[in-house]
Amino acid sequence: MAMAFAGSGARLGRRLLLAAPVAFAAGAALAQNSGDIQFKRSSLAIETGGREIKFDIELALNDTERARGLMFREKLGPYDGMLFDFFQEAPVSFWMKNTVIPLDMIFIAADGTIRSIHSNAVPYSTDPIPSKFPVRAVLEINGGSARMLGIKPGDKVKHPIFGNG
């Protein structure tokens, strides 16, 4: 995911380096491999269908981390993901520019309730993917995983940011 917008047009995260787009484009893949951003790691669980599914996740907690997200990654483990925390509920929108793998985007309310899911977001697409509802966070996992695991709107995500994990 390359850009996230929150609220009434205000950019909360995912910013492109507009002052130097050529330098950014040339160095972006190298920067990902150089480990310039060290995401904090955590775990979360999703309660669905009477069971708990556990994920190992990276946290995108600031503009720089949200701007990078899962861009340039060539793979993601079956129970891995990235949780984008916006710290308050707001409408958000994502796109897939510079994102190599298809992703499911799980839009989560402040209490941990899944509000909506966008399945199999198309790699490299610049089409906006809106949350449809105000959300606190977005969990990105491998494309098709939500359906395969039976994850659906109304399920609960358990993690400390939601006060339940």
Side-chain angles (χ1 to χ4, degrees):
M1 184 202 74
M3 184 71 71
F5 300 94
S8 50
R11 289 185 184 187
L12 259 186
R14 308 265 168 161
R15 300 172 197 263
L16 297 176
L17 299 176
L18 297 176
V22 175
F24 176 70
L30 293 174
Q32 176 63 30
N33 293 330
S34 71
D36 62 332
I37 297 177
Q38 296 296 316
F39 293 98
K40 290 181 184 175
R41 299 197 62 83
S42 186
S43 60
L44 64 73
I46 299 177
E47 293 179 345
T48 182
R51 62 194 170 99
E52 238 182 42
I53 302 168
K54 296 185 181 193
F55 290 88
D56 291 319
I57 59 165
E58 294 173 275
L59 297 169
L61 302 174
N62 60 47
D63 287 349
T64 301
E65 292 169 352
R66 286 188 293 265
R68 174 60 57 83
L70 293 172
M71 292 187 335
F72 309 108
R73 305 272 181 105
E74 294 182 4
K75 62 182 178 175
L76 189 63
Y79 293 94
D80 291 342
M82 183 170 283
L83 184 65
F84 297 79
D85 186 1
F86 293 94
F87 297 95
Q88 63 185 11
E89 284 194 341
V92 298
S93 186
F94 284 65
W95 68 2
M96 294 287 288
K97 186 173 183 180
N98 297 320
T99 306
V100 179
I101 54 177
L103 298 171
D104 286 351
M105 295 179 187
I106 301 173
F107 296 93
I108 310 163
D111 68 355
T113 303
I114 296 175
R115 298 294 312 264
S116 65
I117 299 172
H118 181 89
S119 299
N120 286 304
V122 177
Y124 302 107
S125 174
T126 57
D127 293 339
I129 301 168
S131 59
K132 299 180 187 175
F133 306 97
V135 295
R136 159 83 190 250
V138 177
L139 174 65
E140 291 182 341
I141 60 176
N142 278 308
S145 292
R147 183 170 187 239
M148 181 182 73
L149 296 170
I151 299 169
K152 61 196 173 312
D155 289 345
K156 282 285 193 179
V157 178
K158 294 173 71 175
H159 187 271
I161 72 165
F162 305 115
N164 63 7

